[in-house]
């Protein structure tokens, strides 16, 4: 398989929050890997910015530590690392004051693409954007990258949008959701819109239901204080799972264009039906052999925040009316897994005896781990024992397809950061899209708060609370097993 490297223009990337965890784990290693692939021009510059007093050499030491910790040994090439570090520098900046801004203005180049990455708390988005504009640093050739959480409800999301819009135009703002940068998520669009095989079947007539799962084996750990103010609904459903739902359910855009694609996603969100209490299951993990309970992790024995949520979602449009979408996400589950399953209906009439087995196809898009796609098809079981039907997968695992000498699958941040430099907003959320997602999510959260609903307890290392199993069993369906 031949990989194609698309060059980018010369750029200056200013990384606010450069000494933080996300910068070390994801952003800086992703930039280095793109440098190694030849996508970061030798004249490009990466400027770290944070409150800490530090010189260039001190920052380069932090970058080196990040590369040692989060880049595979095979890609840690000493000369390449030395060349990459030479392109890194640091400026102490006061996000809410005037310190460091004049020096930053002198450091960035007007002739290069200027990207400002806000790897900071959302409360700093507005002040940073305002100072970039008031100090004359931002210009028409500037791009602004903001991380989630983008608000905690509709009101706060609108305020953040307004704060950013006061200094930047919408076409300059890149709201990042790393799920959209995953190869398999992008392949979902390719499978749907580049193959005549699937699109005619992608509707309520042939699809029985859709399952979207994002399961994690870790607990909330050191994020307990933050997580207890968010919960699974705000932390995962409103953004990650909502985006996967939109890409699965949307209509084909006329062109693979950023605004056309986001227009279609917005239509899906606006077509979502309100949820009833019977369509929602919330859970909290109990104490187990792998760690303390959610209540202990959150240090709040009275907490009603969910570490697990399962939803039955309906879309009121011609394509999907009557086809349920089941969404679930949780902490401390039996396996780390993110996948989308398109479960097709059984054949309308079988020429075989019922005892021979059923035939229902399923298309599974695996996001993590083992990124890939498989299609379950029905065949005759080999052997002379008669016409016995079995379901087998046609499996396309990316690592296998690339072969033993294939390259590592790029991290989602690598693709997304380079798309920012290229000015491609296709995989980023638009402001009205974010607000529409919160407009649907807020009444759900307000409903269970008003009802005083307690989350169900579930064992660590399980598939979630039993009540979530019943959410599907009542409809004569079953969740896909997580422990296979």
């Amino acid at each position: 398989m031949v990989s194609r490297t698309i060059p980018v223009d010369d750029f200056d990337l200013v990384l606010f929050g450069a000494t933080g965890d996300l910068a070390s784990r994801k952003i800086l290693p992703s930039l280095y890997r793109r440098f190694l692939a030849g996508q970061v021009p030798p004249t490009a510059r990466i400027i770290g910015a944070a409150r800490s007093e530090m010189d260039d050499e001190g920052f380069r030491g932090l970058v080196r530590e990040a590369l040692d910790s989060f880049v595979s040994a095979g890609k840690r090439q000493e000369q390449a690392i030395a060349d990459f570090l030479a392109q890194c520098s640091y400026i102490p900046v006061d996000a809410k004051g005037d310190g460091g801004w004049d020096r930053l203005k002198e450091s960035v180049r007007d002739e290069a693409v200027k990207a400002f990455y806000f790897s900071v708390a959302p409360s700093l988005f507005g002040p940073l954007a305002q100072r970039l504009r008031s100090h004359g640093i931002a210009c028409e050739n500037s791009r602004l990258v903001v991380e989630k959480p983008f608000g905690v409800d509709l009101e706060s999301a609108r305020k953040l949008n307004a704060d950013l819009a006061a200094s930047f135009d919408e076409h300059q703002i890149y709201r990042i959701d790393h799920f959209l940068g995953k190869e398999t998520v992008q392949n979902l669009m390719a499978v749907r819109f580049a193959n005549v095989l699937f699109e005619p079947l992608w509707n309520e007539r042939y699809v029985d239901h859709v399952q979207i799962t994002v399961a994690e084996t870790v607990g909330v750990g050191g994020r307990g204080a933050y997580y207890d103010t968010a919960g699974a609904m705000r932390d995962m459903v409103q953004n990650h799972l909502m985006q996967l739902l939109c890409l699965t359910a949307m209509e084909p855009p006329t062109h693979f264009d950023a605004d056309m694609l986001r227009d279609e996603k917005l239509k899906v969100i606006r077509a979502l039906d309100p949820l009833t209490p019977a369509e929602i299951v919330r859970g909290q993990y109990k104490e187990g052999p792998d760690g303390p309970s959610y209540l202990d992790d959150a240090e709040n024995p009275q907490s009603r925040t969910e570490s697990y949520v399962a939803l039955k979602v309906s879309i009121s449009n011609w394509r999907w009316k009557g086809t349920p979408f089941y969404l679930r996400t949780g902490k401390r589950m039996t396996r780390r897994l993110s996948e989308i399953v398109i479960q097709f209906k059984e054949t309308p009439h079988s020429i075989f005896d019922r005892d021979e087995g059923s035939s229902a196809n399923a298309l599974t898009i695996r996001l993590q781990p083992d990124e890939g796609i498989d299609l379950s098809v029905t065949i005759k079981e080999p052997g002379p024992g008669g016409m016995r039907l079995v379901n087998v997968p046609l499996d396309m695992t990316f690592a296998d397809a690339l072969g033993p000498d294939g390259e590592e699958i790029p991290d989602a941040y690598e693709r997304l950061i380079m798309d920012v430099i290229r000015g491609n907003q296709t995989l980023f959320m638009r402001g009205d899209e974010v607000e529409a997602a919160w407009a649907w999510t807020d009444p759900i959260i307000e409903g269970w708060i008003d009802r005083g609903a307690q989350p169900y307890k579930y064992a660590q290392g399980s598939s979630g609370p039993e009540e979530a199993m019943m959410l599907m069993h009542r409809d004569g369906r079953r969740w896909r097993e997580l422990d296979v």
Side-chain angles (χ1 to χ4, degrees):
M1 180 177 292
V2 178
S3 62
R4 185 163 59 95
T5 299
I6 302 174
V8 298
D9 294 331
D10 194 14
F11 66 88
D12 287 347
L13 187 148
V14 181
L15 177 56
F16 292 96
T19 58
D21 181 63
L22 181 63
S24 295
R25 283 188 302 108
K26 291 293 186 180
I27 303 171
L28 292 167
S30 293
L31 283 164
Y32 168 73
R33 285 190 288 264
R34 288 301 89 200
F35 173 86
L36 200 60
Q39 284 192 307
V40 175
T43 52
R45 297 185 298 182
I46 298 157
I47 303 171
R51 290 178 299 175
S52 305
E53 288 293 333
M54 188 186 310
D55 60 15
D56 291 347
E57 286 307 310
F59 179 60
R60 288 168 184 153
L62 288 181
V63 176
R64 178 61 193 251
E65 290 177 10
L67 303 186
D68 288 343
S69 299
F70 300 107
V71 173
S72 63
K75 289 186 177 293
R76 293 200 302 270
Q77 302 175 13
E78 284 305 314
Q79 186 57 55
I81 290 176
D83 293 341
F84 178 74
L85 293 178
Q87 295 182 231
C88 298
S89 60
Y90 182 83
I91 299 175
V93 172
D94 183 356
K96 294 186 175 180
D98 292 325
W101 291 100
D102 289 340
R103 182 180 166 194
L104 182 61
K105 177 178 172 58
E106 295 172 358
S107 299
V108 293
R109 298 167 294 168
D110 288 335
E111 67 274 13
V113 171
K114 292 192 280 189
F116 305 102
Y117 200 124
F118 288 2
S119 180
V120 296
S123 60
L124 296 179
F125 289 177
L128 286 173
Q130 189 273 327
R131 281 164 176 76
L132 284 171
R133 182 64 68 183
S134 64
H135 284 270
I137 301 172
C139 63
E140 181 60 30
N141 203 28
S142 299
R143 288 102 195 237
L144 178 64
V145 187
V146 292
E147 282 278 351
K148 83 175 189 76
F150 200 83
V152 297
D153 53 22
L154 178 58
E155 181 181 359
S156 58
R158 281 175 172 165
K159 184 180 186 306
L160 282 175
N161 276 337
D163 288 345
L164 297 181
S167 301
F168 289 84
D169 294 333
E170 179 63 33
H171 74 272
Q172 296 178 292
I173 302 171
Y174 295 72
R175 298 169 187 83
I176 200 167
D177 184 334
H178 70 273
F179 265 54
L180 296 185
K182 293 182 177 294
E183 283 292 329
T184 326
V185 174
Q186 296 168 58
N187 259 302
L188 171 59
M189 292 184 279
V191 166
R192 284 196 59 189
F193 304 135
N195 295 280
V196 73
L197 177 65
F198 293 111
E199 185 58 23
L201 309 179
W202 211 269
N203 54 59
E204 52 79 29
R205 183 176 177 184
Y206 296 102
V207 175
D208 180 78
H209 70 278
V210 176
Q211 297 184 29
I212 300 177
T213 298
V214 178
E216 300 177 276
T217 56
V218 298
V220 300
R223 300 174 66 222
Y226 156 74
Y227 197 91
D228 206 44
T229 65
M233 193 72 182
R234 288 189 174 100
D235 189 53
M236 294 296 292
V237 175
Q238 184 274 336
N239 39 74
H240 297 329
L241 272 73
M242 181 72 73
Q243 290 297 308
L244 299 182
L245 169 65
C246 288
L247 291 173
T248 304
M250 71 182 189
E251 296 296 321
T254 305
H255 300 287
F256 192 63
D257 167 84
D259 276 328
M260 288 184 179
L261 186 76
R262 295 185 292 182
D263 286 344
E264 297 303 333
K265 289 197 293 176
L266 182 61
K267 290 176 186 177
V268 174
I269 299 173
R270 289 176 173 169
L272 296 177
D273 289 341
L275 295 190
T276 66
E279 296 168 326
I280 305 166
V281 174
R282 301 164 64 238
Q284 278 182 355
Y285 58 83
K286 300 184 290 188
E287 183 178 3
D290 293 330
S293 69
Y294 173 81
L295 297 178
D296 290 333
D297 277 342
E299 299 182 347
N300 181 2
Q302 305 302 318
S303 175
R304 295 181 177 179
T305 301
E306 74 285 354
S307 63
Y308 174 101
V309 65
L311 309 170
K312 178 185 176 182
V313 177
S314 299
I315 303 173
S316 285
N317 62 21
W318 279 36
R319 182 182 289 265
W320 294 116
K321 186 65 176 179
T323 301
F325 285 68
Y326 297 96
L327 280 57
R328 61 175 169 171
T329 183
K331 302 283 189 183
R332 288 289 186 200
M333 299 181 73
T334 184
R335 182 183 173 200
R336 176 176 173 261
L337 176 72
S338 297
E339 68 176 18
I340 303 166
V341 181
I342 314 299
Q343 181 64 58
F344 293 96
K345 293 180 179 180
E346 293 192 7
T347 52
H349 169 72
S350 176
I351 66 173
F352 307 105
D353 292 337
R354 280 192 171 275
D355 291 342
E356 305 304 340
S358 63
S359 54
N361 307 115
L363 178 69
T364 302
I365 299 101
R366 300 189 307 272
L367 279 66
Q368 62 183 22
D370 305 324
E371 291 184 306
I373 298 171
D374 69 59
L375 176 64
S376 172
V377 297
T378 303
I379 65 168
K380 175 192 174 294
E381 186 175 43
M387 183 59 74
R388 180 70 181 172
L389 303 180
V390 293
N391 289 324
V392 297
L394 300 176
D395 190 345
M396 197 280 281
T397 300
F398 286 1
D400 294 340
L402 290 170
D405 298 324
E407 297 181 2
E408 294 179 17
I409 296 173
D411 185 89
Y413 276 88
E414 297 179 45
R415 168 66 181 267
L416 295 173
I417 292 171
M418 290 298 101
D419 277 357
V420 172
I421 304 304
R422 296 187 186 100
N424 183 355
Q425 289 187 307
T426 303
L427 300 177
F428 297 84
M429 292 179 288
R430 203 168 58 193
D432 55 357
E433 188 182 348
V434 172
E435 292 182 15
W438 279 120
W440 181 77
T441 305
D442 279 359
I444 300 171
I445 298 173
E446 291 165 2
W448 67 53
I449 291 175
D450 291 343
R451 293 190 299 274
Q454 290 278 6
Y456 297 104
K457 303 299 183 182
Y458 63 94
Q460 296 187 31
S462 72
S463 296
E466 188 63 29
E467 288 76 9
M469 307 302 113
M470 293 304 300
L471 184 68
M472 293 194 72
H473 290 175
R474 288 195 300 265
D475 297 338
R477 301 181 175 101
R478 298 180 65 87
W479 290 107
R480 271 174 54 95
E481 296 294 334
L482 295 180
D483 55 356
V484 294

